[in-house]
Each structure stands twice: as structure tokens, then as C-alpha cells.
Amino acid sequence: MFVPGYLRDINLQNYSRIAVAFSGGLDSSVLLHSLTSISEYKKRVFAIHVNHGLSPNSNSWTKHCEKFCCDLGINLISLTIDLKNSSINENLLRQARYKALFSCLKEGDVLCTAHHQDDHIETILFRILRGTGIKGLAGIEKYSQMEGFDLIRPLINYSKKDLLDYAKKFKVN
């Protein structure tokens, strides 16, 4: 069972601000909710929502994110990226999303994403199917660096079921 207190083990006190990549879906909502429930983190947490503008529901997701953050009492940076004239693929979307996310960070910040254990397993399976090497078998790392910033995945040791249980218990989403 996932409980917010476990997040104290990832040493977020070393960062001036804690950014959460916030899609508005269950996983990132649980991450954001749990981080803001820890008093020593709440004042430093903010969310970044990236609207790809590709779905007819994109604007309603942005509004959902705005309300969720308002209810938690935290700041939200909402960005829109324009990929309409590009050949869209998963890799391009991920690159554009990370570029947008990192554009909001300052020195001393950390970016947290809501990747969980099921994402980790899926990533390893996809990499095996593509013929990955040894490094690819490691899957999603809990701690890494991108663009000169620390990137932490606090939920990587928890299953989707753990997150669903948390969401139900705390009425998240």
C-alpha cells in the first residue's frame, strides 16, 4: 500500500522547488496529492501541465488540472505546445513535453514524474521486443538527470493498483 510518508525517503528537502509533471490523470494526480499532503513539501510543490492540443478534450483536461491545483492550493503552470504540422509519434511527443517541462525549471529545482511499477515493467517488455542491450533492461530509473536537472520518479516502486487504492482512500480525481 502506498502512503505519502514514503515520499520522505527520496530527499526532496534538498531542492528549492518541486515540480510535478501533471497530466491530470490518476497517476500524476496521486503524486501531486501525496506530495502536497507532506507539510514540509507543500510550499515548494508546483505543477506543470503540458497541453499537446491533439485531443478534442485537451482544453477540458487543462481546466481539470487548474481546478485540481486550485483545490490543493498550489501553483500550476499550463503550457500548450503546437505539434499540428509535425508527423506525430510517441517519441516526438515525449521530447516536446520534456522540453516544455524543463523550460519552467530554475537552478535548484527537481522534476517529479508519476511513472509507476507497471510503466517500468511495460518499458522493459517493449525494450526486449525491440532488442535492447543490457542498459535498456534496467527500465525506468527512479533517479536520473535531463537537461541539467534531477528527474525523480517517486512512484516507481508502486503498482497501478497501489495508486488506485490511494485515490479511492483519499478521493483523488
Short mmCIF file of all heavy atoms in Angstrom, two decimals, residues 98-128:
data_model
loop_
_atom_site.label_atom_id
_atom_site.label_comp_id
_atom_site.label_asym_id
_atom_site.label_seq_id
_atom_site.Cartn_x
_atom_site.Cartn_y
_atom_site.Cartn_z
N TYR A 98 8.97 17.01 -22.53
CA TYR A 98 10.10 17.26 -21.61
C TYR A 98 10.74 18.62 -21.86
O TYR A 98 11.12 19.31 -20.92
CB TYR A 98 11.14 16.13 -21.70
CG TYR A 98 10.81 14.96 -20.80
CD1 TYR A 98 10.49 13.72 -21.34
CD2 TYR A 98 10.82 15.09 -19.41
CE1 TYR A 98 10.18 12.64 -20.52
CE2 TYR A 98 10.52 14.03 -18.60
CZ TYR A 98 10.19 12.80 -19.15
OH TYR A 98 9.89 11.74 -18.33
N LYS A 99 10.85 19.02 -23.11
CA LYS A 99 11.40 20.35 -23.42
C LYS A 99 10.54 21.43 -22.75
O LYS A 99 11.07 22.37 -22.15
CB LYS A 99 11.45 20.56 -24.93
CG LYS A 99 12.05 21.89 -25.33
CD LYS A 99 12.11 22.04 -26.84
CE LYS A 99 12.68 23.40 -27.20
NZ LYS A 99 12.69 23.63 -28.63
N ALA A 100 9.23 21.29 -22.85
CA ALA A 100 8.32 22.26 -22.22
C ALA A 100 8.46 22.23 -20.69
O ALA A 100 8.54 23.28 -20.04
CB ALA A 100 6.88 21.97 -22.64
N LEU A 101 8.50 21.04 -20.13
CA LEU A 101 8.60 20.90 -18.66
C LEU A 101 9.89 21.55 -18.15
O LEU A 101 9.87 22.33 -17.21
CB LEU A 101 8.56 19.42 -18.26
CG LEU A 101 7.25 18.69 -18.45
CD1 LEU A 101 7.42 17.18 -18.34
CD2 LEU A 101 6.20 19.18 -17.46
N PHE A 102 11.01 21.23 -18.80
CA PHE A 102 12.30 21.76 -18.33
C PHE A 102 12.41 23.27 -18.54
O PHE A 102 13.17 23.93 -17.84
CB PHE A 102 13.46 21.01 -18.97
CG PHE A 102 13.65 19.64 -18.40
CD1 PHE A 102 13.44 18.52 -19.17
CD2 PHE A 102 14.01 19.46 -17.07
CE1 PHE A 102 13.60 17.25 -18.65
CE2 PHE A 102 14.17 18.20 -16.52
CZ PHE A 102 13.96 17.08 -17.31
N SER A 103 11.65 23.82 -19.47
CA SER A 103 11.68 25.27 -19.69
C SER A 103 11.14 26.04 -18.48
O SER A 103 11.40 27.23 -18.35
CB SER A 103 10.90 25.65 -20.95
OG SER A 103 9.50 25.58 -20.72
N CYS A 104 10.42 25.38 -17.61
CA CYS A 104 9.81 26.03 -16.44
C CYS A 104 10.67 25.92 -15.18
O CYS A 104 10.32 26.49 -14.14
CB CYS A 104 8.45 25.40 -16.14
SG CYS A 104 7.27 25.59 -17.46
N LEU A 105 11.77 25.19 -15.27
CA LEU A 105 12.59 24.94 -14.09
C LEU A 105 13.71 25.96 -13.94
O LEU A 105 14.18 26.52 -14.92
CB LEU A 105 13.17 23.53 -14.13
CG LEU A 105 12.17 22.38 -14.21
CD1 LEU A 105 12.90 21.05 -14.16
CD2 LEU A 105 11.13 22.47 -13.13
N LYS A 106 14.11 26.15 -12.68
CA LYS A 106 15.22 27.03 -12.34
C LYS A 106 16.27 26.20 -11.61
O LYS A 106 15.99 25.10 -11.12
CB LYS A 106 14.75 28.14 -11.39
CG LYS A 106 13.66 29.02 -11.95
CD LYS A 106 13.19 30.00 -10.89
CE LYS A 106 12.02 30.82 -11.40
NZ LYS A 106 11.47 31.68 -10.35
N GLU A 107 17.46 26.74 -11.49
CA GLU A 107 18.52 26.06 -10.75
C GLU A 107 18.00 25.73 -9.34
O GLU A 107 17.37 26.57 -8.68
CB GLU A 107 19.75 26.95 -10.66
CG GLU A 107 20.94 26.26 -10.05
CD GLU A 107 22.19 27.11 -10.07
OE1 GLU A 107 22.36 27.93 -10.99
OE2 GLU A 107 23.01 26.93 -9.15
N GLY A 108 18.26 24.53 -8.89
CA GLY A 108 17.83 24.09 -7.57
C GLY A 108 16.49 23.37 -7.56
O GLY A 108 16.03 22.91 -6.52
N ASP A 109 15.83 23.30 -8.73
CA ASP A 109 14.53 22.62 -8.85
C ASP A 109 14.74 21.14 -9.17
O ASP A 109 15.79 20.74 -9.67
CB ASP A 109 13.69 23.22 -9.98
CG ASP A 109 13.18 24.62 -9.68
OD1 ASP A 109 13.32 25.07 -8.53
OD2 ASP A 109 12.64 25.25 -10.61
N VAL A 110 13.71 20.37 -8.93
CA VAL A 110 13.66 18.96 -9.31
C VAL A 110 12.34 18.74 -10.04
O VAL A 110 11.34 19.40 -9.75
CB VAL A 110 13.78 18.03 -8.08
CG1 VAL A 110 12.61 18.20 -7.11
CG2 VAL A 110 13.91 16.57 -8.50
N LEU A 111 12.35 17.82 -11.00
CA LEU A 111 11.12 17.45 -11.70
C LEU A 111 10.74 16.04 -11.28
O LEU A 111 11.57 15.12 -11.36
CB LEU A 111 11.31 17.50 -13.22
CG LEU A 111 10.11 17.05 -14.05
CD1 LEU A 111 8.91 17.98 -13.85
CD2 LEU A 111 10.47 16.95 -15.53
N CYS A 112 9.50 15.87 -10.84
CA CYS A 112 8.97 14.56 -10.46
C CYS A 112 7.92 14.14 -11.49
O CYS A 112 7.07 14.94 -11.87
CB CYS A 112 8.32 14.60 -9.08
SG CYS A 112 9.48 14.94 -7.75
N THR A 113 8.01 12.89 -11.92
CA THR A 113 7.01 12.33 -12.81
C THR A 113 6.35 11.15 -12.12
O THR A 113 6.90 10.56 -11.19
CB THR A 113 7.60 11.90 -14.16
OG1 THR A 113 8.49 10.80 -13.95
CG2 THR A 113 8.31 13.05 -14.85
N ALA A 114 5.17 10.78 -12.59
CA ALA A 114 4.36 9.77 -11.91
C ALA A 114 4.51 8.37 -12.51
O ALA A 114 3.60 7.55 -12.40
CB ALA A 114 2.90 10.21 -11.92
N HIS A 115 5.64 8.09 -13.11
CA HIS A 115 5.85 6.73 -13.61
C HIS A 115 5.77 5.76 -12.43
O HIS A 115 6.32 6.03 -11.36
CB HIS A 115 7.23 6.61 -14.27
CG HIS A 115 7.33 7.38 -15.53
ND1 HIS A 115 7.88 8.64 -15.59
CD2 HIS A 115 6.94 7.07 -16.79
CE1 HIS A 115 7.83 9.06 -16.84
NE2 HIS A 115 7.26 8.14 -17.60
N HIS A 116 5.11 4.63 -12.64
CA HIS A 116 4.95 3.65 -11.57
C HIS A 116 5.47 2.29 -12.04
O HIS A 116 5.96 2.14 -13.16
CB HIS A 116 3.50 3.59 -11.10
CG HIS A 116 2.51 3.39 -12.21
ND1 HIS A 116 2.29 2.18 -12.81
CD2 HIS A 116 1.71 4.28 -12.85
CE1 HIS A 116 1.39 2.32 -13.76
NE2 HIS A 116 1.02 3.58 -13.81
N GLN A 117 5.34 1.31 -11.15
CA GLN A 117 5.89 -0.03 -11.39
C GLN A 117 5.37 -0.66 -12.69
O GLN A 117 6.14 -1.28 -13.43
CB GLN A 117 5.54 -0.91 -10.20
CG GLN A 117 6.30 -2.18 -10.07
CD GLN A 117 5.95 -2.84 -8.75
OE1 GLN A 117 4.80 -3.18 -8.52
NE2 GLN A 117 6.95 -2.99 -7.89
N ASP A 118 4.10 -0.49 -12.99
CA ASP A 118 3.54 -1.06 -14.21
C ASP A 118 4.17 -0.42 -15.45
O ASP A 118 4.42 -1.11 -16.45
CB ASP A 118 2.02 -0.89 -14.24
CG ASP A 118 1.31 -1.61 -13.10
OD1 ASP A 118 1.84 -1.62 -11.97
OD2 ASP A 118 0.22 -2.15 -13.32
N ASP A 119 4.43 0.90 -15.40
CA ASP A 119 5.11 1.59 -16.51
C ASP A 119 6.52 1.01 -16.68
O ASP A 119 6.99 0.81 -17.80
CB ASP A 119 5.25 3.09 -16.24
CG ASP A 119 3.91 3.80 -16.16
OD1 ASP A 119 2.99 3.44 -16.91
OD2 ASP A 119 3.80 4.75 -15.35
N HIS A 120 7.18 0.77 -15.56
CA HIS A 120 8.54 0.23 -15.56
C HIS A 120 8.57 -1.14 -16.25
O HIS A 120 9.40 -1.37 -17.14
CB HIS A 120 9.02 0.14 -14.11
CG HIS A 120 10.36 -0.47 -13.93
ND1 HIS A 120 11.52 0.14 -14.34
CD2 HIS A 120 10.73 -1.64 -13.35
CE1 HIS A 120 12.55 -0.64 -14.02
NE2 HIS A 120 12.09 -1.72 -13.42
N ILE A 121 7.66 -2.01 -15.87
CA ILE A 121 7.59 -3.35 -16.46
C ILE A 121 7.27 -3.28 -17.94
O ILE A 121 7.89 -3.95 -18.77
CB ILE A 121 6.56 -4.22 -15.69
CG1 ILE A 121 7.06 -4.48 -14.27
CG2 ILE A 121 6.28 -5.52 -16.44
CD1 ILE A 121 6.01 -5.03 -13.33
N GLU A 122 6.32 -2.43 -18.30
CA GLU A 122 5.94 -2.27 -19.71
C GLU A 122 7.13 -1.77 -20.55
O GLU A 122 7.37 -2.25 -21.65
CB GLU A 122 4.78 -1.28 -19.80
CG GLU A 122 4.29 -1.02 -21.20
CD GLU A 122 3.15 -0.01 -21.20
OE1 GLU A 122 2.01 -0.41 -20.94
OE2 GLU A 122 3.43 1.18 -21.46
N THR A 123 7.88 -0.84 -19.99
CA THR A 123 9.04 -0.30 -20.69
C THR A 123 10.08 -1.39 -20.95
O THR A 123 10.62 -1.50 -22.05
CB THR A 123 9.67 0.86 -19.87
OG1 THR A 123 8.72 1.91 -19.79
CG2 THR A 123 10.95 1.37 -20.52
N ILE A 124 10.33 -2.21 -19.95
CA ILE A 124 11.29 -3.31 -20.11
C ILE A 124 10.82 -4.27 -21.20
O ILE A 124 11.59 -4.67 -22.07
CB ILE A 124 11.53 -4.05 -18.78
CG1 ILE A 124 12.27 -3.13 -17.80
CG2 ILE A 124 12.31 -5.34 -19.00
CD1 ILE A 124 12.37 -3.67 -16.39
N LEU A 125 9.53 -4.63 -21.17
CA LEU A 125 8.99 -5.56 -22.18
C LEU A 125 9.12 -4.99 -23.59
O LEU A 125 9.54 -5.69 -24.52
CB LEU A 125 7.53 -5.91 -21.87
CG LEU A 125 7.32 -6.80 -20.65
CD1 LEU A 125 5.83 -6.95 -20.34
CD2 LEU A 125 7.97 -8.16 -20.85
N PHE A 126 8.76 -3.71 -23.76
CA PHE A 126 8.89 -3.08 -25.08
C PHE A 126 10.35 -3.07 -25.54
O PHE A 126 10.64 -3.30 -26.70
CB PHE A 126 8.32 -1.67 -25.09
CG PHE A 126 6.83 -1.60 -25.17
CD1 PHE A 126 6.13 -0.72 -24.37
CD2 PHE A 126 6.12 -2.41 -26.03
CE1 PHE A 126 4.74 -0.65 -24.43
CE2 PHE A 126 4.73 -2.36 -26.11
CZ PHE A 126 4.04 -1.47 -25.31
N ARG A 127 11.25 -2.78 -24.62
CA ARG A 127 12.66 -2.74 -24.98
C ARG A 127 13.17 -4.12 -25.37
O ARG A 127 13.99 -4.25 -26.28
CB ARG A 127 13.48 -2.14 -23.84
CG ARG A 127 13.25 -0.65 -23.69
CD ARG A 127 14.03 -0.07 -22.55
NE ARG A 127 13.79 1.36 -22.44
CZ ARG A 127 14.29 2.11 -21.45
NH1 ARG A 127 15.05 1.56 -20.52
NH2 ARG A 127 14.02 3.40 -21.40
N ILE A 128 12.72 -5.15 -24.66
CA ILE A 128 13.11 -6.52 -25.02
C ILE A 128 12.63 -6.85 -26.42
O ILE A 128 13.37 -7.40 -27.24
CB ILE A 128 12.55 -7.54 -23.99
CG1 ILE A 128 13.31 -7.42 -22.67
CG2 ILE A 128 12.64 -8.97 -24.53
CD1 ILE A 128 12.70 -8.21 -21.52
#
